[in-house]
Amino acid sequence: VRCCVADAADAARALPDGDWDPRLCRPLSPENEQRAMAALAQLVSAMLEAYPTTLEEDEELLQEADDLSRNAVAAIQFRMSQKRILTRCLAVITAVSDMDCGT
């Protein structure tokens, strides 16, 4: 993500000799890190918003629907797990964004 949001100065810092070194996976600059975290937050938020239901609605579905098949229950539980993971990821991204992530 850092590379996707890198400007020319960031790219020059990441590729001082023209060769990419994967061990250089650290913040390129404070501005780049802010852009990278914002891009990640946008991506995770979009993934959460793409679901047709909220986590709370899924919980209600499981509590109220006695006639769901085992497959439907498993699908809803899987969807809920994905939403919990994405929600935790968004919380971590937000926390990291609030930290001083400069080089």
Side-chain angles (χ1 to χ4, degrees), residues 15 18 26 37-38 50 56 58 61 63 68 74 84 88 95-96:
L15 305 167
R26 63 182 186 273
M37 291 298 110
E56 293 77 20
D58 288 343
L61 273 173
Q63 290 175 359
L68 290 175
R84 285 185 184 110
R88 287 182 191 134
V96 169

Side-chain angles (χ1 to χ4, degrees), residues 43-51 53 82-83 86-87 90:
L43 173 65
V44 173
S45 292
M47 292 171 73
L48 279 167
E49 291 170 10
Y51 287 103
T53 58
Q82 291 176 318
K83 291 175 189 178
L86 290 170
T87 300
L90 191 55

